[in-house]
Amino acid sequence: MRFSDLLPGRAKHQVGQVISAEWDPNRRGIRFTIQFQPSSRRLEGFCASGHNPVTGKYIDERDLKNKIENFIGLPVYEHALGGDPNKMGVEDFKKLKIELTLTDMHLSVKPASRPVDSNTFISRIFR
């Protein structure tokens, strides 16, 4: 359990949604566009078939193509430790990272540099 889990009111905060998704035959994956609200900023992402470097699972092209319909309208959530992309500066917005979980179709964005969270802060105090 983390210290931040004990704090009340930390719910998912939707910051945008996927507005378009299409199959890219050259790169063998899904190219999609996220639009953030209320700023109307857009961010393009790509999900390729193949081995997932994080989980080690293999995602073939057929399974990925079947998920295209699920991409459109998919809500995008702010990462628990990140900032709101609607309020970020241009340089921070350019460095956003997209985290996509295909098993439960969960999409979130987080800044490239991780801010110090409460767990890190407390552990540094006791060092």
Side-chain angles (χ1 to χ4, degrees):
M1 178 181 280
R2 297 169 31 173
F3 178 74
S4 60
D5 295 336
L6 300 173
L7 299 175
R10 189 63 181 159
K12 292 181 183 177
H13 179 242
Q14 184 175 344
V15 292
Q17 71 177 7
V18 176
I19 58 171
S20 69
E22 60 185 24
W23 182 256
D24 185 342
N26 296 330
R27 293 185 63 194
R28 296 159 56 190
I30 299 174
R31 184 177 304 283
F32 59 94
T33 305
I34 299 170
Q35 182 168 1
F36 297 98
Q37 293 298 336
S39 67
S40 295
R41 288 177 160 176
R42 291 184 179 193
L43 182 67
E44 292 186 4
F46 184 77
C47 179
S49 60
H51 279 93
N52 184 333
V54 177
T55 64
K57 293 183 179 179
Y58 182 80
I59 302 164
D60 66 1
E61 290 182 35
R62 186 184 74 239
D63 291 338
L64 198 55
K65 280 182 183 180
N66 292 336
K67 294 192 182 280
I68 290 178
E69 293 177 3
N70 299 339
F71 267 80
I72 299 174
L74 187 66
V76 179
Y77 297 100
E78 174 185 358
H79 192 269
L81 300 175
D84 185 352
N86 292 300
K87 299 175 184 173
M88 288 182 175
V90 175
E91 290 304 314
D92 290 334
F93 186 79
K94 287 180 182 179
K95 296 176 185 176
L96 275 178
K97 291 186 178 182
I98 301 170
E99 289 185 345
L100 172 64
T101 308
L102 290 173
T103 53
D104 63 354
M105 294 304 289
H106 179 80
L107 189 62
S108 65
V109 291
K110 70 176 187 175
S113 61
R114 185 176 167 208
V116 176
D117 65 346
S118 54
N119 287 335
T120 306
F121 180 74
I122 291 172
S123 70
R124 286 181 184 172
I125 290 174
F126 293 114
R127 286 186 191 167

